C-alpha cells in the first residue's frame, strides 16, 4: 500500500491569494496522481489527473505539478468558491489511496 | 448530464446487512470502471471496492473483504454493494464513483448515501 501525506492540513488564506498544497508519497508513482476538491456535504470533484492535466471545465487558476514522490496543487488566485478540502489520490498501484486532505478556509 | 445516484443507506444494527445501489445516467455505463468509496464522519476518503467495466475483475479493501460484495448490471446501468456483518466502523457516507481508465482516477461521483451502524 502506498501511503500519502499532505501539507498543510489546514491553510487559512484570503481571496486573491496564491496557495500551494503539497502531497508526498511513500514511494515513487511517476505521474499517476489526481487531485479532488470537496465542499461540505458534497461529493469530491476531479480537478487534475496525471499530476498536471486539468479536468474539463476546471478553471485555469488550478494547476498541478510534480512526479515521483512529490506533487503540488496550486491555486493562482483564490476565489470564494475555492474554499474547500482538497485531496490527492495515487493510482500507480492498487489499492488506490487518498491523502488525508488539506482544508482551505478563510483567513 | 452525467448522474450517479446512490440509494439504500440507512440505520442498521451491528451484524446487520444493507444493499446499496447506484443508478447511472448520462454516460456509457458499460465503458466505465466503477468503485465504491466511503467517508466516515469528519474523516477522509477510503476506497472500498472496485469492479471492472465487464464485471470480470473485482477487488476489495482488506477492511471489507469477506463481508461486502460488489456487482453491476450493465443492462440496468446500475452498480450495487451488498454489505453484510456490518460494524460500527463501517459508518460512513458511501459514494459510487466512475473512472474511464482501469484502476485510475475517478471522473464522476454520486452524491453519496449515509450508512449508520449503531445499536
Amino acid at each position: 500500500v502506498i501511503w500519502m501525506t499532505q501539507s498543510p492540513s489546514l491553510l487559512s488564506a484570503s481571496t486573491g491569494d496564491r496557495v500551494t498544497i503539497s502531497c508526498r508519497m511513500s514511494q515513487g508513482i511517476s505521474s499517476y496522481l489526481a487531485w479532488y476538491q470537496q465542499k461540505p456535504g458534497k461529493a469530491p470533484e476531479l480537478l487534475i489527473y496525471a499530476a498536471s492535466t486539468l479536468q474539463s471545465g476546471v478553471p485555469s487558476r488550478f494547476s498541478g505539478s510534480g512526479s515521483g514522490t512529490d506533487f503540488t496543487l496550486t491555486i493562482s488566485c483564490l476565489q470564494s468558491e475555492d474554499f474547500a478540502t482538497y485531496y490527492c489520490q495515487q493510482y500507480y498501484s492498487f489499492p488506490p489511496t487518498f491523502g488525508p486532505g488539506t482544508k482551505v478556509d478563510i483567513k | 448530464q452525467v448522474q450517479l445516484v446512490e440509494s439504500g443507506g440507512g440505520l442498521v444494527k451491528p451484524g446487520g446487512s444493507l444493499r446499496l445501489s447506484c443508478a447511472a445516467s448520462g454516460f456509457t455505463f458499460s465503458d466505465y470502471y466503477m468503485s465504491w468509496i466511503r467517508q466516515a464522519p469528519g474523516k477522509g476518503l477510503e476506497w472500498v471496492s472496485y469492479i471492472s467495466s465487464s464485471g470480470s475483475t473485482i477487488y476489495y479493501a482488506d477492511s471489507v473483504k469477506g463481508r461486502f460484495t460488489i456487482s453491476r448490471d450493465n443492462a440496468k446501468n446500475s452498480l450495487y454493494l451488498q454489505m453484510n456483518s456490518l460494524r460500527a466502523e463501517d459508518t460512513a457516507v458511501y459514494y459510487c464513483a466512475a473512472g474511464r481508465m482501469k484502476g485510475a482516477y475517478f471522473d464522476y461521483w454520486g452524491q453519496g448515501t449515509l450508512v449508520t451502524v449503531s445499536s
Side-chain angles (χ1 to χ4, degrees):
Chain A
V1 176
I2 296 176
W3 297 104
M4 311 160 71
T5 59
Q6 284 184 238
S7 60
S9 55
L10 175 63
L11 192 162
S12 296
S14 301
T15 303
D17 284 353
R18 179 184 179 89
V19 302
T20 299
I21 298 168
S22 172
C23 181
R24 178 164 287 179
M25 308 296 136
S26 61
Q27 65 184 78
I29 64 164
S30 184
S31 296
Y32 294 99
L33 186 95
W35 288 97
Y36 300 88
Q37 177 193 69
Q38 186 178 33
K39 297 180 180 178
K42 301 293 186 182
E45 293 186 2
L46 178 66
L47 296 175
I48 286 169
Y49 59 92
S52 61
T53 302
L54 215 59
Q55 172 73 336
S56 175
V58 173
S60 58
R61 63 181 179 273
F62 291 92
S63 63
S65 63
S67 67
T69 59
D70 293 302
F71 299 85
T72 299
L73 173 69
T74 300
I75 309 173
S76 60
C77 182
L78 200 65
Q79 302 298 301
S80 57
E81 60 267 31
D82 301 336
F83 292 100
T85 300
Y86 294 85
Y87 294 94
C88 54
Q89 177 232 327
Q90 68 80 22
Y91 52 98
Y92 176 79
S93 69
F94 231 84
T97 46
F98 294 88
T102 293
K103 182 177 181 180
V104 177
D105 72 0
I106 300 172
K107 184 186 289 184
Chain B
Q1 75 281 18
V2 170
Q3 273 199 305
L4 291 168
V5 180
E6 301 94 337
S7 60
L11 175 63
V12 61
K13 289 181 168 53
S17 298
L18 276 178
R19 188 190 195 214
L20 305 184
S21 299
C22 172
S25 61
F27 66 104
T28 304
F29 180 72
S30 58
D31 286 347
Y32 279 68
Y33 302 87
M34 299 298 297
S35 283
W36 288 97
I37 295 162
R38 67 185 180 184
Q39 186 169 37
K43 302 297 185 182
L45 300 164
E46 179 191 16
W47 170 81
V48 171
S49 185
Y50 160 96
I51 187 167
S52 62
S53 54
S54 66
S56 60
T57 301
I58 286 172
Y59 298 112
Y60 298 99
D62 288 345
S63 57
V64 307
K65 200 173 295 182
R67 300 188 298 123
F68 290 12
T69 302
I70 191 172
S71 61
R72 67 189 294 162
D73 186 337
N74 286 343
K76 294 183 177 180
N77 290 340
S78 293
L79 175 73
Y80 307 100
L81 186 68
Q82 178 66 44
M83 305 187 295
N84 298 331
S85 303
L86 283 161
R87 306 167 180 166
E89 54 265 35
D90 295 319
T91 294
V93 174
Y94 284 73
Y95 296 101
C96 65
R100 286 173 298 161
M101 296 172 55
K102 176 183 176 181
Y105 51 88
F106 306 102
D107 300 76
Y108 309 129
W109 296 65
Q111 86 288 351
T113 188
L114 176 62
V115 172
T116 303
V117 184
S118 174
S119 54

